[in-house]
Amino acid sequence: MKITLINPSHYDPQGNITKSKFSGYFPIAIPLLSSMSKGKAEVKSINEYVHDLDFDKQADLVAISAQKIKSKRVLEIAEAYRNNEISVVVGGPLCNPLFSSELEKLTNMGVSIVFGPAENIWDQVLSDLKEDKLKLRYTSEKLRILKNLPIPDYSDFNKDDYDEHAFLYIESSRGCPNKCSFCDGFQYHPTYMPRPLDDIVRDIEIIKDQTNMNNFHFTDSNLLIGNKRSYQLFEKLKYLEIDWGCSSDMQFMTPDSIVAAAESGCDFISMG
């Protein structure tokens, strides 16, 4: 089997497909699914912000990571591949009942839609693809614990394609201790779920060797919580000799946690 994993671009205000060397547009879902597909299929990951898509290139399955801002482009990409009789599956934040118009259009094209964390259901998708029994809808149960996640596969990531500030995403947790009604993160991950620290260290070490990259950004909603686990993580990061950034809520940040983060390699914090 041949699988193409696509991170689609979006249209700028002038109506052009956006091209960018900013690595932050590349979601961690793609390297996670690439890792799960290795050994079962020939896999290629494509970031449309950097590389053009070849709609004539043969694949048994095209999987698209979709967000609302990219919905127009997602529909175009899905339609182009379906016109070439290639199976298409779409997942990500766009796959939400709030966006019923886009989902209806995808379903009418014969596109399979994954609701919830794709890694929970990906083996089933691949099995159904192999048996030519892809369903139009897959619903993944929400994760309750983050153990034994696949190691993100960044083998198709070439740092020469990106600018000097390039970084790779890594997960320390999903969810957030806050339950803010305005935040979509709470909807997708209603439970705060930290990963085992040794798994995080393992992932970073392997990705460093795989990509020769030393810059990372944690996808956590709130990394600087200031609890015991945060300090344990910072202590482990010291010995990895990486530069890293994160997001955090100011109510969780303390002078001690900021200093500890900085000493472990933190050079960027997005606050909100």
Side-chain angles (χ1 to χ4, degrees):
M1 292 191 298
K2 292 184 178 181
I3 298 174
T4 301
L5 305 173
I6 295 176
N7 176 40
S9 183
H10 67 274
Y11 282 97
D12 65 21
Q14 288 71 44
N16 302 311
I17 295 174
T18 301
K19 292 295 181 180
S20 173
K21 292 189 174 184
F22 173 56
S23 60
Y25 284 132
F26 197 75
I28 196 171
I30 288 179
L32 285 175
L33 294 184
S34 177
S35 178
M36 294 185 69
S37 303
K38 289 291 178 70
K40 303 171 184 175
E42 180 181 331
V43 189
K44 179 67 176 176
S45 300
I46 302 176
N47 184 5
E48 195 188 16
Y49 287 99
V50 175
H51 301 289
D52 294 332
L53 300 178
D54 182 358
F55 296 110
D56 294 323
K57 189 171 183 179
Q58 289 303 305
D60 296 294
L61 179 69
V62 168
I64 306 171
S65 179
Q67 297 169 297
K68 175 60 178 176
I69 191 175
K70 304 177 180 183
S71 59
K72 179 180 178 181
R73 185 59 181 156
V74 169
L75 290 168
E76 292 174 348
I77 293 171
E79 183 175 29
Y81 281 112
R82 290 298 296 138
N83 287 341
N84 286 336
E85 298 184 347
I86 295 174
S87 297
V88 176
V89 59
V90 172
L94 182 65
C95 299
N96 184 303
L98 292 173
F99 309 126
S100 56
S101 175
E102 290 87 348
L103 298 183
E104 182 179 1
K105 292 175 182 177
L106 289 169
T107 299
N108 290 339
M109 293 179 199
V111 172
S112 299
I113 298 172
V114 174
F115 295 88
E119 58 266 36
N120 260 12
I121 205 78
W122 192 242
D123 285 341
Q124 183 64 54
V125 172
L126 296 185
S127 176
D128 289 350
L129 172 68
K130 189 174 182 179
E131 297 179 8
D132 197 24
K133 295 180 179 179
L134 272 180
K135 304 178 181 67
L136 287 178
R137 179 184 178 117
Y138 291 88
T139 301
S140 169
E141 294 185 6
K142 294 185 183 296
L143 295 172
R144 298 298 176 187
I145 188 169
L146 287 186
K147 286 185 178 180
N148 303 316
L149 285 182
I151 301 169
D153 172 34
Y154 282 103
S155 57
D156 285 328
F157 183 93
N158 184 346
K159 69 177 183 179
D160 292 336
D161 291 334
Y162 298 89
D163 62 28
E164 66 273 19
H165 305 295
F167 59 80
L168 298 176
Y169 283 121
I170 194 78
E171 289 183 297
S172 161
S173 69
R174 294 183 191 178
C176 178
N178 288 335
K179 309 296 181 186
C180 303
S181 60
F182 58 81
C183 179
D184 62 353
F186 171 57
Q187 178 179 358
Y188 295 117
H189 304 296
T191 304
Y192 176 65
M193 299 172 289
R195 294 184 66 200
L197 299 181
D198 289 341
D199 287 3
I200 301 166
V201 172
R202 175 205 62 195
D203 288 3
I204 293 174
E205 289 177 333
I206 290 175
I207 293 169
K208 283 181 65 178
D209 290 340
Q210 185 183 67
T211 64
N212 199 29
M213 285 285 290
N214 200 50
N215 298 328
F216 292 84
H217 190 93
F218 285 94
T219 60
D220 304 46
S221 298
N222 268 308
L223 189 70
L224 302 185
I225 294 177
N227 59 15
K228 181 179 178 181
R229 177 183 180 275
S230 296
Y231 288 103
Q232 291 173 336
L233 173 61
F234 301 152
E235 192 64 27
K236 288 180 178 292
L237 293 178
K238 281 183 184 180
Y239 301 98
L240 296 177
E241 297 182 345
I242 62 171
D243 297 319
W244 59 272
C246 67
S247 298
S248 191
D249 188 327
M250 287 195 67
Q251 70 170 306
F252 290 114
M253 297 168 62
T254 66
D256 287 344
S257 67
I258 295 173
V259 169
E263 290 177 345
S264 69
C266 180
D267 59 8
F268 176 85
I269 301 174
S270 175
M271 293 181 290

